Amino acid sequence: MKIRLARPAVAAVVGGALLAGSALVGSPAYASPGAADAPTGQSAPLATTLDAIDPGTTDPGTTDPGTTDPGTTDPGTTDPGTTDPGTTDPGTTDPGTTDPGTTDPGTTDPGTTDPGTTDPGTTDPGTTDPGTTDPGTTDPGTTDPGTTDPDTTVPTGSFRLNHTSVWTGQSITFGQNGTEFSDPVDDPSTLKRVVSWGDGTSTVLSPTTFAAAKSYTRAGNFKVTVTITDPAGNVSAIPAKNVAVTVPAGKASLSRKSAYQGGIFKVNIGKVPAGATKYRIDWSDGSASPHKASTKSVSGIVLYQYKWDAAKKKYVQVGTGKLSGVRTIKISWGNDQKGYGAWQTVGNINIVKDSWKPSLTIKKPSSPSRAASWKTITGTVSDKGSGVRHLGVTAFRVTSTGKTYCLTAARKWKRYYTDADVYKYCYTTGVKVKIVKGKWTLKLPSGLGKNQFFAVEAWTYDHANNFRTTYRTAKITRS
């Protein structure tokens, strides 16, 4: 796993000149290796009826001849006695004038509205013969329940499992596509399907769901079944499939029972389970790192809290608070076909707080004004807590004409003009030097000479990201 490095604060390099007289304007800034790195592997469904045209409506009685019955102008009204028939001989006033013949029944001869005109036969009940809406037309037998037998046919189907032998935590997948279940009476969308996993849990599938996944949390043999029920309540009986679940028999241990914050400890692999091709380690800080089964030991630390950033596809640090106390380290065995199993405890480790800054010195030579005295620079470094993680050193020189140079990680002088140049060329990591029994040494390349200003700076981090820096300056007057 990568160890995260903090990036220290940087003092400004004023006006592009590091030195003012013979002293630094301020302690310069540096950045340490991997400062921007997060531990990428910190190393888981819508009739006309007879009454309506009743013959009585145009019944001859309606225009019954009696309505214009000759009796209306009945000769009795102009009784022959008043106008004696002889005076007003019927011939004078021809009976046709006022004669009842005026309204001679023949004029409005019942034949005019002869019942035959609207002869009931026109709307003869036979026209809308009750037989038209005769119950026989919609013979009760058409919807007579007796003509449709009850649905007693059960649905049919089959299903698939991608694995029948897994470790706890590994996943199996149930599969059943649209062609693998049916009913001769009902549409497939009306069928209820339920997968029972054999451990007391089940999954209800929607009409458009054709797969479901399951991970078992305990070992055992489990019978996976699926029931299909149609709207009539008929239930299918599809043969069950057995799944054997076991716990992988691997062994791993911790190299230490306690460590300072950021202090290195190891997870040692004692035994790889049969069939395992890989494993991953949960470092108790929100991060996990994957490894090949052939890797027998992995170093790690516990310092900050992390979380997975899906957008960046890596773990990122959460805040600056440092973790401490008892932490549980876990391992998960896996293989390429079935993925990782459940987490198993490797052990507990006590993470101790580290609040001590490292100690760092640069030895002052006996003749600091001589260039030769700085040809080899020495110093000491130590740490009381988690131990020194990084030591960086760089040097600066300013010529009599004002040209400024800094020492790169490749141990070469690089002329700089801006603060950004110093960061880029000389403060990224600094020159890496070896530490032997708490002492360090740096040899300078040629270039430092008479009438120059000189400065050397060193900085260090411990594993808990505690930081210390120091520097020395000199005005070179002699070679």
Side-chain angles (χ1 to χ4, degrees):
M1 60 180 286
K2 294 183 179 179
I3 299 174
R4 182 172 175 78
L5 306 179
R7 193 179 296 274
V10 178
V13 178
V14 180
L18 176 67
L19 305 174
S22 62
L24 289 176
V25 172
S27 177
Y30 6 69
S32 55
D37 291 347
T40 57
Q42 176 149 333
S43 321
L46 199 193
T48 300
T49 64
L50 295 176
D51 289 339
I53 54 172
D54 189 344
T57 305
T58 57
D59 188 348
T62 304
T63 56
D64 189 341
T67 304
T68 57
D69 188 1
T72 303
T73 56
D74 189 350
T77 304
T78 55
D79 189 332
T82 306
T83 56
D84 182 56
T87 306
T88 55
D89 188 285
T92 305
T93 56
D94 184 18
T97 305
T98 58
D99 188 86
T102 303
T103 56
D104 187 349
T107 305
T108 57
D109 186 354
T112 304
T113 57
D114 186 347
T117 304
T118 56
D119 186 351
T122 303
T123 56
D124 186 351
T127 304
T128 56
D129 188 345
T132 303
T133 57
D134 188 290
T137 303
T138 56
D139 187 349
T142 303
T143 58
D144 187 348
T147 62
T148 303
D149 293 332
D151 180 4
T152 59
T153 305
V154 299
T156 60
S158 61
F159 66 93
R160 293 163 283 106
L161 296 178
N162 64 337
H163 301 300
T164 57
S165 175
V166 293
W167 291 329
T168 53
Q170 288 183 326
S171 179
I172 66 169
T173 301
F174 163 93
Q176 186 181 57
N177 61 40
T179 64
E180 292 178 301
F181 65 96
S182 63
D183 186 276
V185 177
D186 303 294
D187 187 271
S189 64
T190 66
L191 303 178
K192 179 182 178 181
R193 296 177 296 140
V194 179
V195 182
S196 297
W197 301 105
D199 63 346
T201 64
S202 61
T203 301
V204 178
L205 306 176
S206 74
T208 58
T209 300
F210 305 110
K214 169 69 176 180
S215 293
Y216 292 91
T217 59
R218 58 186 172 88
N221 293 315
F222 304 94
K223 290 185 177 181
V224 179
T225 61
V226 59
T227 58
I228 308 176
T229 309
D230 67 13
N234 299 305
V235 182
S236 64
I238 300 176
K241 296 183 185 295
N242 187 72
V243 177
V245 182
T246 59
V247 177
K251 293 183 179 180
S253 61
L254 299 177
S255 63
R256 306 172 64 176
K257 294 182 178 180
S258 66
Y260 282 108
Q261 291 169 321
I264 298 175
F265 60 92
K266 294 182 178 181
V267 175
N268 297 319
I269 306 302
K271 179 183 178 181
V272 176
T277 59
K278 58 186 178 180
Y279 63 87
R280 56 182 178 176
I281 297 176
D282 178 351
W283 297 100
S284 81
D285 59 1
S287 70
S289 59
H291 308 276
K292 293 181 179 180
S294 59
T295 304
K296 301 303 181 181
S297 183
V298 181
S299 296
I301 67 170
V302 175
L303 183 56
Y304 299 112
Q305 185 70 33
Y306 291 90
K307 70 176 181 178
W308 179 256
D309 189 315
K312 296 180 180 179
K313 296 182 179 180
K314 66 178 183 178
Y315 291 102
V316 297
Q317 183 178 321
V318 180
T320 58
K322 298 178 181 180
L323 303 176
S324 63
V326 177
R327 316 292 298 184
T328 300
I329 309 303
K330 300 178 181 180
I331 192 171
S332 172
W333 304 99
N335 50 49
D336 299 333
Q337 296 77 28
K338 303 174 184 179
Y340 288 104
W343 290 107
Q344 298 176 320
T345 297
V346 175
N348 295 326
I349 186 167
N350 183 34
I351 302 301
V352 181
K353 291 182 179 180
D354 180 358
S355 57
W356 298 284
K357 291 183 178 182
S359 296
L360 178 63
T361 68
I362 300 174
K363 185 178 179 180
K364 181 180 179 180
S366 57
S367 300
S369 62
R370 294 188 60 180
S373 298
W374 296 103
K375 185 176 181 179
T376 299
I377 305 170
T378 63
T380 63
V381 62
S382 62
D383 185 69
K384 183 179 179 179
S386 59
V388 174
R389 173 169 55 83
H390 175 79
L391 172 64
V393 183
T394 193
F396 300 85
R397 64 186 180 90
V398 182
T399 68
S400 59
T401 59
K403 295 179 180 180
T404 55
Y405 298 84
C406 64
L407 192 65
T408 68
R411 305 190 183 209
K412 295 181 179 181
W413 294 111
K414 176 68 177 180
R415 187 174 181 183
Y416 70 89
Y417 301 90
T418 65
D419 294 352
D421 289 342
V422 178
Y423 280 109
K424 181 178 180 179
Y425 300 119
C426 303
Y427 271 152
T428 302
T429 61
V431 179
K432 294 181 180 180
V433 297
K434 291 183 178 181
I435 304 171
V436 180
K437 296 182 179 180
K439 296 180 179 181
W440 60 271
T441 300
L442 171 64
K443 290 185 178 181
L444 292 180
S446 60
L448 180 62
K450 187 178 178 180
N451 298 324
Q452 293 187 25
F453 291 104
F454 174 73
V456 58
E457 182 172 12
W459 62 93
T460 185
Y461 291 87
D462 67 10
H463 289 285
N465 260 2
N466 296 311
F467 171 75
R468 175 82 73 178
T469 183
T470 190
Y471 65 90
R472 285 189 178 277
T473 63
K475 184 176 183 179
I476 307 301
T477 60
R478 294 182 293 169
S479 300

Short mmCIF file of all heavy atoms in Angstrom, two decimals, residues 294-329:
data_model
loop_
_atom_site.label_atom_id
_atom_site.label_comp_id
_atom_site.label_asym_id
_atom_site.label_seq_id
_atom_site.Cartn_x
_atom_site.Cartn_y
_atom_site.Cartn_z
N SER A 294 -0.53 -15.22 -4.12
CA SER A 294 0.89 -15.56 -3.99
C SER A 294 1.65 -14.57 -3.11
O SER A 294 2.79 -14.85 -2.74
CB SER A 294 1.53 -15.63 -5.38
OG SER A 294 1.39 -14.39 -6.06
N THR A 295 1.07 -13.44 -2.78
CA THR A 295 1.73 -12.45 -1.92
C THR A 295 1.63 -12.90 -0.48
O THR A 295 0.54 -12.97 0.09
CB THR A 295 1.09 -11.06 -2.09
OG1 THR A 295 1.13 -10.70 -3.47
CG2 THR A 295 1.82 -10.02 -1.26
N LYS A 296 2.75 -13.18 0.12
CA LYS A 296 2.77 -13.78 1.45
C LYS A 296 2.79 -12.77 2.59
O LYS A 296 2.53 -13.13 3.74
CB LYS A 296 3.98 -14.70 1.56
CG LYS A 296 4.00 -15.83 0.55
CD LYS A 296 2.73 -16.69 0.64
CE LYS A 296 2.74 -17.84 -0.34
NZ LYS A 296 1.51 -18.65 -0.28
N SER A 297 3.09 -11.51 2.32
CA SER A 297 3.14 -10.51 3.38
C SER A 297 2.84 -9.13 2.81
O SER A 297 3.34 -8.78 1.73
CB SER A 297 4.53 -10.51 4.04
OG SER A 297 4.57 -9.60 5.12
N VAL A 298 2.04 -8.35 3.53
CA VAL A 298 1.66 -7.01 3.09
C VAL A 298 1.86 -6.03 4.24
O VAL A 298 1.40 -6.28 5.36
CB VAL A 298 0.19 -6.96 2.62
CG1 VAL A 298 -0.17 -5.55 2.15
CG2 VAL A 298 -0.06 -7.97 1.52
N SER A 299 2.56 -4.92 3.97
CA SER A 299 2.78 -3.89 4.99
C SER A 299 1.68 -2.84 4.92
O SER A 299 1.20 -2.49 3.83
CB SER A 299 4.13 -3.21 4.77
OG SER A 299 5.18 -4.13 4.95
N GLY A 300 1.29 -2.33 6.06
CA GLY A 300 0.24 -1.30 6.10
C GLY A 300 0.39 -0.40 7.30
O GLY A 300 1.22 -0.63 8.19
N ILE A 301 -0.41 0.65 7.33
CA ILE A 301 -0.43 1.59 8.44
C ILE A 301 -1.88 1.98 8.74
O ILE A 301 -2.77 1.76 7.90
CB ILE A 301 0.37 2.88 8.13
CG1 ILE A 301 -0.32 3.68 7.01
CG2 ILE A 301 1.81 2.56 7.76
CD1 ILE A 301 0.25 5.07 6.80
N VAL A 302 -2.12 2.57 9.90
CA VAL A 302 -3.40 3.18 10.24
C VAL A 302 -3.11 4.58 10.71
O VAL A 302 -2.39 4.78 11.70
CB VAL A 302 -4.14 2.39 11.34
CG1 VAL A 302 -5.42 3.11 11.74
CG2 VAL A 302 -4.47 0.98 10.86
N LEU A 303 -3.62 5.58 9.99
CA LEU A 303 -3.36 6.98 10.36
C LEU A 303 -4.59 7.85 10.19
O LEU A 303 -5.08 8.46 11.13
CB LEU A 303 -2.20 7.53 9.53
CG LEU A 303 -1.75 8.96 9.85
CD1 LEU A 303 -1.38 9.09 11.32
CD2 LEU A 303 -0.57 9.37 8.96
N TYR A 304 -5.12 7.96 8.95
CA TYR A 304 -6.29 8.79 8.66
C TYR A 304 -7.47 7.93 8.24
O TYR A 304 -7.31 6.78 7.84
CB TYR A 304 -5.97 9.80 7.54
CG TYR A 304 -4.86 10.77 7.85
CD1 TYR A 304 -3.65 10.72 7.17
CD2 TYR A 304 -5.03 11.74 8.84
CE1 TYR A 304 -2.63 11.61 7.44
CE2 TYR A 304 -4.02 12.64 9.13
CZ TYR A 304 -2.82 12.56 8.43
OH TYR A 304 -1.81 13.44 8.72
N GLN A 305 -8.67 8.53 8.26
CA GLN A 305 -9.88 7.87 7.76
C GLN A 305 -10.00 8.12 6.26
O GLN A 305 -9.72 9.22 5.78
CB GLN A 305 -11.13 8.39 8.48
CG GLN A 305 -12.41 7.68 8.12
CD GLN A 305 -12.48 6.26 8.67
OE1 GLN A 305 -11.96 5.98 9.74
NE2 GLN A 305 -13.12 5.37 7.93
N TYR A 306 -10.44 7.08 5.53
CA TYR A 306 -10.61 7.20 4.09
C TYR A 306 -12.01 6.77 3.67
O TYR A 306 -12.74 6.12 4.42
CB TYR A 306 -9.59 6.31 3.35
CG TYR A 306 -8.16 6.80 3.49
CD1 TYR A 306 -7.37 6.34 4.54
CD2 TYR A 306 -7.62 7.72 2.61
CE1 TYR A 306 -6.06 6.79 4.70
CE2 TYR A 306 -6.33 8.17 2.75
CZ TYR A 306 -5.55 7.71 3.79
OH TYR A 306 -4.27 8.16 3.94
N LYS A 307 -12.39 7.13 2.46
CA LYS A 307 -13.64 6.66 1.85
C LYS A 307 -13.42 6.50 0.36
O LYS A 307 -12.53 7.13 -0.22
CB LYS A 307 -14.80 7.64 2.11
CG LYS A 307 -14.69 8.96 1.35
CD LYS A 307 -15.94 9.82 1.59
CE LYS A 307 -15.84 11.13 0.81
NZ LYS A 307 -17.06 11.97 1.00
N TRP A 308 -14.24 5.66 -0.25
CA TRP A 308 -14.13 5.42 -1.69
C TRP A 308 -14.81 6.53 -2.46
O TRP A 308 -15.97 6.88 -2.22
CB TRP A 308 -14.75 4.08 -2.06
CG TRP A 308 -14.70 3.78 -3.53
CD1 TRP A 308 -15.73 3.84 -4.43
CD2 TRP A 308 -13.54 3.39 -4.28
NE1 TRP A 308 -15.29 3.50 -5.68
CE2 TRP A 308 -13.94 3.22 -5.63
CE3 TRP A 308 -12.21 3.17 -3.94
CZ2 TRP A 308 -13.06 2.84 -6.63
CZ3 TRP A 308 -11.33 2.78 -4.95
CH2 TRP A 308 -11.75 2.63 -6.27
N ASP A 309 -14.11 7.12 -3.40
CA ASP A 309 -14.65 8.16 -4.28
C ASP A 309 -14.91 7.51 -5.64
O ASP A 309 -13.96 7.21 -6.38
CB ASP A 309 -13.65 9.32 -4.42
CG ASP A 309 -14.25 10.51 -5.15
OD1 ASP A 309 -14.91 10.30 -6.18
OD2 ASP A 309 -14.04 11.65 -4.69
N ALA A 310 -16.21 7.28 -5.97
CA ALA A 310 -16.55 6.59 -7.21
C ALA A 310 -16.14 7.38 -8.44
O ALA A 310 -15.75 6.80 -9.46
CB ALA A 310 -18.06 6.31 -7.25
N ALA A 311 -16.23 8.71 -8.35
CA ALA A 311 -15.87 9.54 -9.49
C ALA A 311 -14.37 9.47 -9.77
O ALA A 311 -13.93 9.35 -10.91
CB ALA A 311 -16.30 10.99 -9.24
N LYS A 312 -13.58 9.50 -8.72
CA LYS A 312 -12.12 9.44 -8.87
C LYS A 312 -11.61 8.01 -8.94
O LYS A 312 -10.45 7.77 -9.26
CB LYS A 312 -11.46 10.17 -7.71
CG LYS A 312 -11.76 11.66 -7.66
CD LYS A 312 -11.05 12.33 -6.48
CE LYS A 312 -11.35 13.82 -6.44
NZ LYS A 312 -10.67 14.46 -5.28
N LYS A 313 -12.47 7.08 -8.57
CA LYS A 313 -12.12 5.66 -8.58
C LYS A 313 -10.92 5.37 -7.69
O LYS A 313 -9.99 4.63 -8.06
CB LYS A 313 -11.88 5.16 -10.01
CG LYS A 313 -13.12 5.24 -10.89
CD LYS A 313 -12.85 4.69 -12.29
CE LYS A 313 -14.12 4.75 -13.14
NZ LYS A 313 -13.89 4.21 -14.51
N LYS A 314 -10.94 5.95 -6.52
CA LYS A 314 -9.88 5.68 -5.56
C LYS A 314 -10.33 6.12 -4.16
O LYS A 314 -11.34 6.81 -4.01
CB LYS A 314 -8.59 6.41 -5.94
CG LYS A 314 -8.68 7.93 -5.86
CD LYS A 314 -7.34 8.55 -6.22
CE LYS A 314 -7.38 10.07 -6.09
NZ LYS A 314 -6.05 10.67 -6.40
N TYR A 315 -9.56 5.73 -3.16
CA TYR A 315 -9.86 6.15 -1.80
C TYR A 315 -9.32 7.54 -1.57
O TYR A 315 -8.20 7.88 -2.01
CB TYR A 315 -9.23 5.18 -0.79
CG TYR A 315 -9.87 3.82 -0.78
CD1 TYR A 315 -9.27 2.73 -1.41
CD2 TYR A 315 -11.09 3.60 -0.15
CE1 TYR A 315 -9.85 1.48 -1.40
CE2 TYR A 315 -11.68 2.35 -0.13
CZ TYR A 315 -11.06 1.29 -0.77
OH TYR A 315 -11.65 0.06 -0.77
N VAL A 316 -10.09 8.36 -0.87
CA VAL A 316 -9.66 9.72 -0.55
C VAL A 316 -9.73 9.93 0.95
O VAL A 316 -10.58 9.35 1.64
CB VAL A 316 -10.51 10.77 -1.29
CG1 VAL A 316 -10.35 10.65 -2.80
CG2 VAL A 316 -11.98 10.65 -0.91
N GLN A 317 -8.85 10.76 1.45
CA GLN A 317 -8.79 11.02 2.89
C GLN A 317 -9.99 11.84 3.35
O GLN A 317 -10.43 12.77 2.68
CB GLN A 317 -7.50 11.76 3.22
CG GLN A 317 -7.29 12.02 4.70
CD GLN A 317 -5.96 12.71 4.99
OE1 GLN A 317 -4.96 12.39 4.37
NE2 GLN A 317 -5.97 13.65 5.92
N VAL A 318 -10.50 11.50 4.54
CA VAL A 318 -11.63 12.23 5.13
C VAL A 318 -11.09 13.01 6.33
O VAL A 318 -10.78 12.45 7.37
CB VAL A 318 -12.73 11.25 5.60
CG1 VAL A 318 -13.89 12.02 6.23
CG2 VAL A 318 -13.22 10.39 4.45
N GLY A 319 -10.96 14.33 6.18
CA GLY A 319 -10.48 15.16 7.27
C GLY A 319 -9.01 14.94 7.58
O GLY A 319 -8.28 14.22 6.89
N THR A 320 -8.56 15.59 8.65
CA THR A 320 -7.16 15.50 9.05
C THR A 320 -6.98 14.83 10.41
O THR A 320 -5.87 14.71 10.89
CB THR A 320 -6.54 16.91 9.11
OG1 THR A 320 -7.29 17.72 10.04
CG2 THR A 320 -6.57 17.57 7.73
N GLY A 321 -8.09 14.41 11.01
CA GLY A 321 -7.99 13.74 12.30
C GLY A 321 -7.28 12.41 12.18
O GLY A 321 -7.50 11.65 11.23
N LYS A 322 -6.45 12.11 13.16
CA LYS A 322 -5.69 10.86 13.16
C LYS A 322 -6.39 9.80 13.99
O LYS A 322 -6.91 10.09 15.06
CB LYS A 322 -4.28 11.11 13.68
CG LYS A 322 -3.48 12.09 12.83
CD LYS A 322 -2.10 12.34 13.41
CE LYS A 322 -1.32 13.35 12.58
NZ LYS A 322 0.03 13.60 13.14
N LEU A 323 -6.39 8.57 13.48
CA LEU A 323 -7.05 7.46 14.16
C LEU A 323 -6.15 6.89 15.25
O LEU A 323 -4.92 6.92 15.14
CB LEU A 323 -7.40 6.37 13.16
CG LEU A 323 -8.29 6.77 11.99
CD1 LEU A 323 -8.48 5.60 11.02
CD2 LEU A 323 -9.65 7.26 12.49
N SER A 324 -6.78 6.35 16.28
CA SER A 324 -6.02 5.69 17.34
C SER A 324 -6.93 4.69 18.04
O SER A 324 -8.13 4.63 17.78
CB SER A 324 -5.48 6.72 18.35
OG SER A 324 -6.56 7.38 19.01
N GLY A 325 -6.35 3.91 18.95
CA GLY A 325 -7.11 2.90 19.67
C GLY A 325 -7.05 1.55 18.98
O GLY A 325 -6.34 1.35 17.99
N VAL A 326 -7.81 0.60 19.52
CA VAL A 326 -7.81 -0.77 19.00
C VAL A 326 -8.55 -0.83 17.66
O VAL A 326 -9.70 -0.41 17.57
CB VAL A 326 -8.45 -1.74 20.01
CG1 VAL A 326 -8.50 -3.15 19.42
CG2 VAL A 326 -7.66 -1.74 21.32
N ARG A 327 -7.87 -1.36 16.68
CA ARG A 327 -8.43 -1.46 15.34
C ARG A 327 -8.43 -2.93 14.91
O ARG A 327 -7.49 -3.68 15.22
CB ARG A 327 -7.61 -0.66 14.32
CG ARG A 327 -7.20 0.72 14.79
CD ARG A 327 -8.37 1.65 14.93
NE ARG A 327 -9.05 1.87 13.67
CZ ARG A 327 -10.07 2.72 13.52
NH1 ARG A 327 -10.52 3.41 14.58
NH2 ARG A 327 -10.63 2.89 12.35
N THR A 328 -9.50 -3.36 14.18
CA THR A 328 -9.61 -4.75 13.72
C THR A 328 -9.24 -4.84 12.25
O THR A 328 -9.86 -4.19 11.40
CB THR A 328 -11.04 -5.28 13.94
OG1 THR A 328 -11.34 -5.22 15.34
CG2 THR A 328 -11.16 -6.72 13.46
N ILE A 329 -8.24 -5.63 11.97
CA ILE A 329 -7.79 -5.85 10.59
C ILE A 329 -8.45 -7.12 10.06
O ILE A 329 -8.48 -8.15 10.75
CB ILE A 329 -6.26 -5.99 10.52
CG1 ILE A 329 -5.60 -4.81 11.26
CG2 ILE A 329 -5.80 -6.04 9.07
CD1 ILE A 329 -6.00 -3.44 10.75
#
